[in-house]
Amino acid sequence: MTAIAFLLVVLGSLAIASGQINPSLVNEKVERTIDLQSHLVKISSTITVKNTGSSAADSYHVALDPLFKGKLGFIGAKTKTEKGGDDEKNRLEVEQISVPSHKDYQFYRVKFSPALAAGASKTFILTSVYGHALTPHPAQISQKEKQLVIFDGNAYFFSPYKTTTQQTTLSLPSGKVESHTKVNPTNKKDKEIVYGEYSNVDAFKQEAIRAHYENNSPFLAVSSILRHVEVSHWGNIAIEETIDIYHHGAKLKGPFSRYDYQRAQDGYSSVKSFKTMLPAAARDVYYRDEIGNISTSNLLELEDQVELELRPRFPLFGGWKSHYTIGYNIPSYEYLYNKGNQYVLRMRLVDHIYDDQWVEQAMMYIILPEGASNIELSTPYPVQRSADQLHYTYLDTTGKPKLVLNVRDTVEQHIQELEVRYTFQRYALVRKPMILVAAFYLLFTFVIIVVRLDFTIQKDVAKESRMRVQSVLEEVQSLQDRRTALYQSYEDEINRYKQNKDQKIFLQKRKTIDDGYKDLDTKIVTLMSHVKAESVDDADRIQEINRTDQEIRNSLQGSIGLAEKLVAGKVNKQAYMDQETAAAAKRKEWIGKIDGILATF
Amino acid sequence: METEVLKHVEKVTSWLPRLSHDKRDTLLKFGVLAIAAVLSFATRLFSVLRFESVIHEFDPYFNYRTTRYLTENGFYQFHNWFDDRAWYPLGRIIGGTIYPGLMVTSAAFYHVMNYFNMTIDIRDVCVFLAPLFSSFTTIVTYHLAKELRDTASGLVAAALISVVPGYISRSVAGSYDNEGIAIFCMLLTYLMWIKAVKTGSIYYGTLCALAYFYMVSSWGGYVFLINLIPLHVLCLMITGRFSHKIYVAYSTVYCLGTVLSMQISFVGFQPVHTSEHMAALGVFGLCQIHSFVDYVRSKLSAEAFQKLFKTVVIAVAGVTLAIGTVLTVTGKVSPWTGRFYSLLDPSYAKNNIPIIASVSEHQPTAWSSFYFDLQMLVFMFPVGLYFCFKELTDANIFIIMYGVTSIYFAGVMVRLMLVLAPVMCILSGIGISATLQNFCRNMVQCSKEQKSTKKATDQSYPYKFEVSFSVVAILGLSLGLYGFHCVWVTAEAYSSPSIVLSARSGDGGRIIFDDFREAYYWLRQNTPEDAKVMSWWDYGYQITAMANRTILVDNNTWNNTHISRVGQAMSSTEDKAYEIMRELDVNYVLVIFGGLTGYSSDDINKFLWMVRIGGSTDRGSHIKENDYYTPQGEFRVDKQGSPVLLNCMMYKMCYYKFGQVYTEAGKPSGYDRVRNVEIGNKDFELDVLEEAYTTEHWLVRIYKVKDYENRGI
């Protein structure tokens, strides 16, 4: 339901407003530069407009030349200042409108703020970029031929207003021009053709011009790109772009000869490689296609960006296409901001693919973490947003919200930032680890149950008895370990007694140890009687341990007596030492024996 | 014996927390097994680490493609899949002509993982399936060797098989082939069979049949299995060890196993028709007769029994022979197929079926490759056999038979080394652990005696301690060397994906030749969707999988005449070839050429096989192998080469424009770096073809077949 509501909002914003052309505006002076050096047509017009009316004008209408219908990639305007610069505040808002009186033309409205007062004039720069506006002619060339293209344009600045003076400059990549239309005055300088200056041109006036010239710049176009942005709150944003690229220049006619390509270095219009700029923090970059890694790429880390030189598996000639995927990770702290549970993701909507890029169809998936809600999107230019979807990966349970955005015909100027605001509860972050913990817990519990419980139908008496004995033996083992520890306590006490010679404390200490000892003794004896019923052999082993223990005990008693004698001075130190060393060695041997028996349990 | 070994182990593990005997035992077993299993997985990852997660070789590409189809379209679509991308214009019924076990296994993994939203790519499942299954194999080997002898042998065998090169060669990451899982299935079946023989329980018999079913579904090598088990039973009968246990085990396994195996559509009715399966059926009958005879004997007097027995045996033998002959003659029982003959007689295929002989993995094994693939196992194998013979049991007889038969088959065909490797590991495991146990005991005894009496009392042979010590030391050393050897072989010989080649450049850096994918991707992107590509059959699977274009012949060499037709096109002159290519509706021709880089397994080196196969059918009878040799009987591409060769299609496609290229300093232009000669025919143009694409290092050359010329020009 919310999704539909969203859709309505988006569609609403895309609906075109209508407006009227203000008859009192006049183009006083227009200087137009048409850049034909790349495969795009980039028109930059410096327009000085004067308001001859009596009321202030708040907007200026731009009519799209019918020659370029459907080829427009970008249109933008900014106020011309002395200092120049591309300040945000110089930017003028441009939006598409319809004009009922001229239904056959497409209009854009440049908003003036403040409004242009009556009698005042203003200079601003209008920039527009068109794709597929150059036609290769001949349409097919062989490998060693150079590429010639035709530009069809208008000698006059196409405007709903009257233009007082104007001049148009075609800027070409080289001086090699086959032919060009002349509309006097026309001048051809080295790499430029200048039309004009013309004065007092009526509104909507057209005069076709054509330039046929050599252009070997890379005629690359991206027919579609799918951009995945996956945000993780563990500190990473993963970006993957799957790109279909093709060469839209003159098609290759005849054979492709590798020999000539390597030897003569021909194939002027072919594209060997191109550069993609990634964000400076990009790492783990990969470049591959359906059949694996493409091993021909170079990565150069610059200060403010990562330059990735991509070489398709094969050079792209006219009409050839390729398809590839690049992906990388960027740390999220540079793009993801939060205040409490409110998060803002601010990153590029589309990114750089190659210089002078022309992207016919771009689709963006923005995948937010599982549990993100109240998602709000704001984009720098209108974007078609489809209904949100859910994306399942990495043990997701409820799915990650996936925003689906679509935009057509984008160029470099569209590399701008979008903003996604959403709410995310922090504790949701530990949900997946908890799921894993729970899963392992269940697994172990299951194993414990299977191993510990007896699921057989038949009763295996011998096995059960063996298991019972085993558990008793383990108990004996731990009890004996404690008993062995007590031997050490005895010896410690004896040593202490020898030093401080305090009979009373010695007795006291011995008493406590004795108590513990007796306790252990009785326990072991009880256990032994249990075992006896099941396995005489094992009972004998315990018996053996007890016997040895008795020996150690006796030896310890002897040592105690000896120590008392030493303290009382009844025996000299040397004799004591001799006897005690012998006794200690003996005890050590016995303890070893006990350990040996325990090890066989 | 076991307890004694464990006593020594106790000394070693005294730093462990004190555990009861059982627990320690379990801990050690788990420890060793876990390490072996992890090792067997890890050691197979060289190629992924060096290159990338990519499918290798040729057949795996087909398996990968079918697996992807299965995951995308479901089992029924897969089962009924008619592939029009291969064998144009015949097509191929994929569902009915493959063993689907591998694909189903990967698809199952894929779907389970994705069900839990662990989004793993099907390609990665395929790449890592073989290493995963070798980990499983390690564990199964442990159990098998344990059944045969004891836990210690099991652990040694598991450790040995985890790195044995003979098995690694077919199961590195990316080598997505049937064998990868089939070895696991085979050992599992053997394990279950031995358990069934030991217990005589229907339960294990059924499990064995199920394991056998899995085996049948995954590899054609199941035929080995279904002959080995009956052979074992037969052997037990002859040695007088036949018992009710074996009767129950075999009857269950055979009946269930056969019915199950017939569910695989590629196998179909073969188990009751073809000669390969007849041994199993015969032994099954023999089992019944044996039991019946035993029963009769228990009811009759000895004399009467003898008389009856003789009469019946003669009668039955006569009738069987008669029926067998009739069935073979009428074709009910299919005649012995070529592959089967080539197993028995290594020279059979070479003399009769060029297409079988042309596959390098069907060649007889060289002696050196036994050592290369098995190293010390070659020596420890007889030791294991000795210990098995010393304590002959039903199970031991099985492993002896397995060992002996597989060593024969491995000698016949290189690829059957794979079947030999596990039994080598098991028998060597038994041999090593038994030897170590004996000599360790001697060593410990001696040292004890020396301690207590200072004088040796029981000396069955002089220098007992020293001898024992040196035996143990030598074994330890060779085990260590075995480890190093295996890792080295894996890293150097078996971990190249073969789709990407790499070489060292002059300055020590690595150059990657990625030409195959370059060409395939060019085909995929820049040719019409329905273009038909002609190439030698080796590259068929790769082209369909990577270029997604229709091909004429591929690695499933089921139609000899079709392949022969392609061979004829390659070995004819241009105008003859043009006729064939138009007839076959070919748009592009792809050849592999190594002359510029020195890649030796290119199409010129394979060319004689094309000539032979091309000339092996009626329509190609004009193609004679001898025409392609010089009068001295040499195959050479330089000026002295035979003119037929220098003007054939293949020569022209490989060397088109190559005559102008300088490949090596100090050599004339057109110097072929594989054959090390200057080519004989340099300046020629192609009339019916035009160069469509040649890769960066000229490894793959693609030509476009020109259309008919317009009339009147």
Side-chain angles (χ1 to χ4, degrees):
Chain A
M1 198 55 217
T2 44
I4 294 169
F6 264 127
L7 205 61
L8 288 176
V9 171
V10 172
L11 285 178
S13 72
L14 280 179
I16 298 167
S18 70
Q20 285 299 328
I21 293 168
N22 188 343
S24 53
L25 290 180
V26 171
N27 295 321
E28 276 201 315
K29 189 180 178 199
V30 175
E31 274 176 25
R32 201 155 61 120
T33 310
I34 304 180
D35 181 350
L36 300 174
Q37 295 181 22
S38 67
H39 69 116
L40 299 176
V41 172
K42 294 183 244 178
I43 303 178
S44 165
S45 318
T46 310
I47 301 164
T48 307
V49 61
K50 189 175 183 188
N51 185 358
T52 56
S54 52
S55 60
D58 64 346
S59 64
Y60 175 90
H61 287 77
V62 180
L64 188 68
D65 200 319
L67 278 170
F68 298 133
K69 202 172 178 191
K71 294 173 180 172
L72 180 74
F74 170 80
I75 187 163
K78 63 179 181 185
T79 314
K80 191 179 181 187
T81 53
E82 290 303 313
K83 282 172 283 175
D86 195 355
D87 288 340
E88 199 52 24
K89 61 174 193 230
N90 289 338
R91 211 167 70 86
L92 298 170
E93 204 183 308
V94 180
E95 62 173 351
Q96 192 179 354
I97 58 158
S98 72
V99 176
S101 51
H102 297 280
K103 277 225 161 73
D104 40 347
Y105 299 134
Q106 196 174 322
F107 285 93
Y108 289 86
R109 178 167 64 193
V110 179
K111 271 199 178 156
F112 289 148
S113 94
L116 190 61
S121 63
K122 178 183 173 74
T123 307
F124 67 97
I125 301 169
L126 184 74
T127 320
S128 54
V129 181
Y130 306 89
H132 294 300
L134 299 174
T135 322
H137 187 85
Q140 290 192 333
I141 55 171
S142 69
Q143 185 179 335
K144 55 178 177 289
E145 282 177 288
K146 291 178 177 172
Q147 181 169 268
L148 300 172
V149 296
I150 285 177
F151 166 70
D152 280 310
N154 186 352
Y156 305 124
F157 174 60
F158 191 71
S159 172
Y161 310 113
K162 204 175 161 216
T163 309
T164 319
T165 61
Q166 61 169 301
Q167 190 180 46
T168 297
T169 311
L170 301 187
S171 161
L172 307 172
S174 69
K176 291 173 190 157
V177 178
E178 294 284 309
S179 66
H180 65 277
T181 320
K182 291 190 178 70
V183 180
N184 282 329
T186 304
N187 278 314
K188 182 179 175 295
K189 281 182 261 171
D190 182 26
K191 289 184 180 177
E192 283 182 349
I193 302 170
V194 182
Y195 288 93
E197 173 178 290
Y198 308 116
S199 36
N200 295 325
V201 178
D202 287 338
F204 299 115
K205 180 144 189 212
Q206 283 173 287
E207 176 71 53
I209 53 167
R210 166 174 282 205
H212 189 195
Y213 68 102
E214 183 182 318
N215 187 346
N216 287 315
S217 68
F219 268 56
L220 284 182
V222 172
S223 54
S224 78
I225 172 173
L226 177 60
R227 183 173 151 96
H228 272 267
V229 175
E230 194 165 344
V231 181
S232 159
H233 277 211
W234 293 94
N236 190 54
I237 298 176
I239 296 173
E240 186 178 280
E241 292 176 339
T242 306
I243 294 168
D244 278 301
I245 198 165
Y246 70 104
H247 189 298
H248 66 99
K251 291 200 167 42
L252 178 69
K253 182 175 69 182
F256 162 66
S257 165
R258 176 64 76 171
Y259 175 76
D260 295 334
Y261 191 70
Q262 281 172 340
R263 261 303 149 104
Q265 304 275 322
D266 58 3
Y268 304 100
S269 64
S270 71
V271 181
K272 234 183 206 166
S273 67
F274 50 89
K275 282 175 183 162
T276 299
M277 305 298 174
L278 306 180
R283 55 201 149 76
D284 315 328
V285 182
Y286 56 86
Y287 172 43
R288 58 169 46 174
D289 55 30
E290 294 111 309
I291 61 173
N293 191 33
I294 305 171
S295 43
T296 46
S297 61
N298 287 312
L299 191 77
L300 188 66
E301 287 192 24
L302 305 176
E303 213 159 87
D304 53 345
Q305 60 194 2
V306 172
E307 188 184 287
L308 186 64
E309 191 197 344
L310 300 178
R311 229 175 94 196
R313 287 190 189 274
F314 41 84
L316 289 171
F317 277 89
W320 289 12
K321 60 186 167 57
S322 194
H323 170 96
Y324 68 90
T325 302
I326 60 168
Y328 51 92
N329 290 325
I330 44 177
S332 63
Y333 64 84
E334 291 183 15
Y335 303 92
L336 190 63
Y337 309 90
N338 76 311
K339 189 176 175 188
N341 287 332
Q342 293 297 320
Y343 286 82
V344 180
L345 174 74
R346 194 176 295 139
M347 64 184 309
R348 283 174 175 182
L349 178 57
V350 290
D351 211 336
H352 183 269
I353 302 170
Y354 55 93
D355 289 338
D356 294 321
Q357 66 194 33
W358 177 260
V359 181
E360 287 163 18
Q361 170 71 257
M363 193 166 192
M364 271 77 61
Y365 288 152
I366 297 166
I367 299 160
L368 300 175
E370 196 173 22
S373 54
N374 303 327
I375 302 160
E376 285 169 42
L377 171 78
S378 64
T379 53
Y381 41 85
V383 164
Q384 191 196 335
R385 180 175 172 190
S386 312
D388 287 2
Q389 296 171 0
L390 285 176
H391 181 77
Y392 293 92
T393 179
Y394 303 124
L395 297 168
D396 283 338
T397 41
T398 55
K400 296 179 158 132
K402 176 162 95 176
L403 275 63
V404 183
L405 311 178
N406 249 305
V407 59
R408 291 194 62 86
D409 294 344
T410 58
V411 292
E412 251 168 30
Q413 279 85 344
H414 286 97
I415 303 177
Q416 290 177 32
E417 289 192 330
L418 58 63
E419 241 182 47
V420 184
R421 293 168 183 278
Y422 59 93
T423 315
F424 181 77
Q425 305 297 333
R426 246 158 214 253
Y427 66 81
L429 206 58
V430 294
R431 186 157 67 178
K432 266 183 230 173
M434 291 319 281
I435 289 175
L436 277 182
V437 168
F440 276 105
Y441 180 79
L442 283 177
L443 178 74
F444 290 144
T445 317
F446 177 73
V447 170
I448 288 171
I449 289 170
V450 168
V451 172
R452 296 282 166 107
L453 297 187
D454 185 7
F455 290 104
T456 48
I457 304 169
Q458 275 177 320
K459 204 168 182 178
D460 188 342
V461 182
K463 195 177 171 195
E464 276 178 22
S465 147
R466 202 167 62 237
M467 279 164 68
R468 264 201 303 278
V469 171
Q470 193 59 49
S471 73
V472 173
L473 287 183
E474 270 168 38
E475 219 170 312
V476 170
Q477 205 171 43
S478 71
L479 289 174
Q480 179 57 42
D481 282 346
R482 278 162 65 191
R483 210 151 67 165
T484 314
L486 288 184
Y487 303 150
Q488 189 59 46
S489 318
Y490 272 122
E491 286 180 6
D492 292 347
E493 284 313 318
I494 291 170
N495 283 338
R496 205 167 295 148
Y497 170 60
K498 278 191 303 192
Q499 276 172 12
N500 59 22
K501 300 189 167 67
D502 190 337
Q503 180 81 25
K504 215 167 131 195
I505 295 176
F506 184 45
L507 272 173
Q508 220 170 20
K509 292 275 183 191
R510 258 169 59 197
K511 180 104 190 358
T512 25
I513 301 174
D514 278 343
D515 287 347
Y517 208 98
K518 273 193 197 112
D519 194 30
L520 289 175
D521 258 0
T522 40
K523 275 184 187 161
I524 291 180
V525 170
T526 337
L527 287 175
M528 188 169 73
S529 61
H530 285 316
V531 175
K532 214 163 207 163
E534 311 267 0
S535 154
V536 181
D537 197 35
D538 287 315
D540 282 351
R541 284 198 281 180
I542 301 175
Q543 185 69 47
E544 181 67 27
I545 290 175
N546 269 350
R547 224 172 310 170
T548 321
D549 170 64
Q550 197 55 47
E551 305 252 24
I552 296 172
R553 203 62 183 278
N554 291 342
S555 163
L556 278 171
Q557 286 300 340
S559 291
I560 290 168
L562 206 62
E564 280 171 342
K565 276 185 191 163
L566 178 75
V567 171
K570 287 177 189 161
V571 53
N572 72 3
K573 197 143 190 180
Q574 187 56 46
Y576 172 80
M577 285 298 279
D578 289 347
Q579 289 188 38
E580 182 56 31
T581 321
K586 203 79 188 171
R587 283 202 294 271
K588 204 170 172 192
E589 195 178 305
W590 283 322
I591 291 175
K593 189 177 169 193
I594 290 177
D595 280 347
I597 299 169
L598 287 178
T600 61
F601 276 9
Chain B
M1 196 181 290
E2 211 171 299
T3 51
E4 232 172 88
V5 172
L6 282 164
K7 252 186 208 168
H8 299 312
V9 168
E10 269 151 25
K11 278 189 186 163
V12 183
T13 57
S14 54
W15 52 271
L16 285 172
R18 183 181 280 158
L19 295 166
S20 72
H21 185 278
D22 279 359
K23 282 186 181 166
R24 208 164 6 183
D25 190 38
T26 319
L27 181 68
L28 268 175
K29 269 193 299 198
F30 268 91
V32 173
L33 267 183
I35 291 170
V38 169
L39 179 67
S40 72
F41 189 88
T43 193
R44 284 164 167 84
L45 301 184
F46 273 108
S47 66
V48 171
L49 298 179
R50 279 196 196 151
F51 295 94
E52 54 182 289
S53 165
V54 70
I55 308 282
H56 294 191
E57 305 272 348
F58 303 105
D59 287 18
Y61 267 97
F62 171 75
N63 297 328
Y64 169 55
R65 176 166 165 252
T66 45
T67 309
R68 223 176 40 204
Y69 189 91
L70 172 63
T71 49
E72 280 162 11
N73 298 297
F75 186 75
Y76 283 99
Q77 287 280 330
F78 172 71
H79 193 68
N80 297 322
W81 183 15
F82 179 80
D83 182 17
D84 56 0
R85 285 255 179 246
W87 292 96
Y88 181 84
L90 308 167
R92 177 181 173 190
I93 306 157
I94 300 267
T97 56
I98 57 162
Y99 295 101
L102 182 71
M103 296 92 197
V104 172
T105 308
S106 322
F109 267 103
Y110 174 79
H111 286 305
V112 168
M113 298 286 264
N114 277 279
Y115 177 77
F116 290 107
N117 285 330
M118 285 183 258
T119 37
I120 181 170
D121 195 76
I122 185 67
R123 190 195 61 226
D124 290 324
V125 175
C126 295
V127 167
F128 294 106
L129 192 76
L132 180 69
F133 267 82
S134 19
S135 289
F136 295 161
T137 308
T138 311
I139 292 158
V140 171
T141 309
Y142 159 74
H143 284 287
L144 186 56
K146 192 179 113 187
E147 287 300 320
L148 293 169
R149 194 179 169 92
D150 54 15
T151 318
S153 311
L155 290 177
V156 178
L160 289 176
I161 204 169
S162 66
V163 290
V164 67
Y167 178 31
I168 286 183
S169 66
R170 293 300 181 132
S171 60
V172 289
S175 172
Y176 179 56
D177 215 341
N178 291 330
E179 289 95 324
I181 66 167
I183 293 301
F184 165 77
C185 308
M186 186 175 77
L187 292 179
L188 185 67
T189 316
Y190 291 155
L191 171 64
M192 291 307 162
W193 168 245
I194 283 175
K195 285 211 162 184
V197 165
K198 274 187 163 177
T199 56
S201 83
I202 294 181
Y203 172 65
Y204 280 114
T206 313
L207 286 184
C208 179
L210 286 174
Y212 173 67
F213 173 58
Y214 192 26
M215 173 75 195
V216 174
S217 75
S218 56
W219 194 34
Y222 78 90
V223 174
F224 175 63
L225 221 139
I226 198 60
N227 282 302
L228 183 62
I229 289 174
L231 197 64
H232 179 216
V233 175
L234 192 68
C235 196
L236 291 177
M237 279 182 196
I238 292 166
T239 50
R241 285 167 172 271
F242 189 76
S243 65
H244 289 296
K245 282 182 180 178
I246 290 153
Y247 177 76
V248 171
Y250 187 66
S251 302
T252 321
V253 171
Y254 180 73
C255 297
L256 268 179
T258 305
V259 169
L260 284 173
S261 68
M262 285 162 78
Q263 307 310 308
I264 305 296
S265 49
F266 191 28
V267 175
F269 277 92
Q270 282 184 42
V272 291
H273 270 176
T274 57
S275 50
E276 287 110 280
H277 300 80
M278 283 306 124
L281 181 62
V283 169
F284 178 65
L286 222 54
C287 267
Q288 315 307 320
I289 294 167
H290 198 296
S291 307
F292 181 68
V293 169
D294 283 349
Y295 173 75
V296 171
R297 185 171 13 210
S298 69
K299 300 284 174 189
L300 286 178
S301 71
E303 216 170 290
F305 176 77
Q306 281 298 329
K307 201 171 262 175
L308 182 69
F309 188 69
K310 271 182 194 163
T311 331
V312 172
V313 163
I314 291 168
V316 168
V319 170
T320 319
L321 200 69
I323 293 175
T325 322
V326 168
L327 286 183
T328 314
V329 169
T330 54
K332 276 283 172 205
V333 176
S334 46
W336 311 81
T337 52
R339 268 176 220 223
F340 190 74
Y341 270 123
S342 70
L343 281 184
L344 297 178
D345 173 13
S347 62
Y348 176 82
K350 211 172 218 172
N351 300 335
N352 296 285
I353 314 168
I355 194 109
I356 291 181
S358 77
V359 182
S360 64
E361 59 185 22
H362 289 165
Q363 302 294 331
T365 315
W367 283 111
S368 58
S369 73
F370 276 103
Y371 185 76
F372 189 70
D373 276 353
L374 302 164
Q375 220 239 3
M376 72 172 297
L377 306 185
V378 177
F379 312 115
M380 293 315 290
F381 172 74
V383 180
L385 275 183
Y386 164 75
F387 281 107
C388 284
F389 269 113
K390 222 172 125 192
E391 284 171 51
L392 217 51
T393 61
D394 293 353
N396 280 350
I397 288 178
F398 177 77
I399 203 74
I400 290 166
M401 308 209 55
Y402 175 23
V404 172
T405 47
S406 65
I407 209 165
Y408 170 72
F409 288 128
V412 172
M413 241 192 217
V414 176
R415 65 188 282 191
L416 292 181
M417 183 68 83
L418 185 71
V419 178
L420 177 66
V423 70
M424 278 280 190
C425 291
I426 292 166
L427 279 172
S428 306
I430 291 173
I432 290 168
S433 93
T435 316
L436 278 180
Q437 276 171 13
N438 287 342
F439 284 97
C440 278
R441 196 181 318 123
N442 283 353
M443 227 166 80
V444 173
Q445 257 172 12
C446 290
S447 57
K448 258 188 196 162
E449 279 160 8
Q450 274 169 355
K451 247 190 216 163
S452 52
T453 60
K454 303 266 173 193
K455 201 186 115 197
T457 48
D458 169 40
Q459 286 270 23
S460 44
Y461 48 87
Y463 300 112
K464 193 171 183 180
F465 179 79
E466 285 77 3
V467 168
S468 315
F469 180 79
S470 47
V471 168
V472 171
I474 288 171
L475 261 184
L477 186 71
S478 33
L479 280 174
L481 287 177
Y482 171 76
F484 281 113
H485 173 82
C486 292
V487 173
W488 175 78
V489 168
T490 312
E492 295 299 318
Y494 293 138
S495 292
S496 144
S498 92
I499 188 80
V500 189
L501 309 169
S502 83
R504 295 251 159 251
S505 70
D507 57 352
R510 202 166 68 139
I511 314 174
I512 286 186
F513 298 127
D514 207 354
D515 286 39
F516 291 107
R517 287 194 295 188
E518 181 184 340
Y520 296 146
Y521 207 60
W522 182 85
L523 278 175
R524 187 188 185 108
Q525 293 292 335
N526 295 310
T527 57
E529 182 77 28
D530 59 349
K532 288 101 192 165
V533 182
M534 181 171 89
S535 75
W536 192 233
W537 60 265
D538 296 26
Y539 316 106
Y541 279 166
Q542 289 187 347
I543 295 173
T544 32
M546 284 195 267
N548 194 21
R549 291 292 173 269
T550 309
I551 45 140
L552 269 67
V553 291
D554 67 24
N555 310 46
N556 175 263
T557 50
W558 66 276
N559 190 328
N560 198 16
T561 40
H562 210 53
I563 293 180
S564 168
R565 202 85 185 115
V566 172
Q568 286 155 27
M570 297 291 193
S571 37
S572 308
T573 53
E574 244 186 294
D575 43 346
K576 279 267 175 53
Y578 191 58
E579 275 170 33
I580 300 176
M581 288 188 295
R582 296 303 314 192
E583 170 197 319
L584 294 174
D585 213 2
V586 176
N587 302 108
Y588 292 91
V589 189
L590 179 147
V591 293
I592 307 293
F593 171 64
L596 189 82
T597 48
Y599 174 68
S600 61
S601 45
D602 66 352
D603 276 347
I604 292 285
N605 278 2
K606 288 176 186 169
F607 185 56
L608 278 180
W609 288 113
M610 299 181 205
V611 173
R612 279 175 207 151
I613 294 169
S616 67
T617 53
D618 292 344
R619 296 186 74 179
S621 52
H622 60 283
I623 291 170
K624 306 219 166 40
E625 193 179 338
N626 281 334
D627 296 345
Y628 295 83
Y629 292 118
T630 58
Q632 289 78 36
E634 286 172 295
F635 178 75
R636 51 199 303 177
V637 295
D638 57 3
K639 281 208 172 68
Q640 272 104 56
S642 123
V644 178
L645 173 67
L646 298 191
N647 287 299
C648 75
M649 200 68 233
M650 176 54 78
Y651 180 93
K652 284 191 168 177
M653 285 193 291
C654 283
Y655 291 119
Y656 179 62
K657 291 213 171 171
F658 184 69
Q660 290 142 297
V661 182
Y662 286 93
T663 52
E664 243 170 73
K667 302 283 190 218
S669 69
Y671 185 78
D672 186 323
R673 293 175 70 184
V674 174
R675 267 68 56 178
N676 288 324
V677 288
E678 182 189 353
I679 58 167
N681 187 0
K682 278 187 186 174
D683 284 323
F684 56 84
E685 278 301 317
L686 291 167
D687 300 326
V688 297
L689 300 176
E690 74 177 23
E691 186 178 3
Y693 191 76
T694 297
T695 58
E696 196 180 348
H697 305 97
W698 293 50
L699 268 180
V700 186
R701 309 197 71 179
I702 301 170
Y703 292 88
K704 190 173 186 218
V705 180
K706 283 187 191 161
D707 214 340
Y708 287 121
E709 274 187 27
N710 287 338
R711 272 175 184 237
I713 296 175

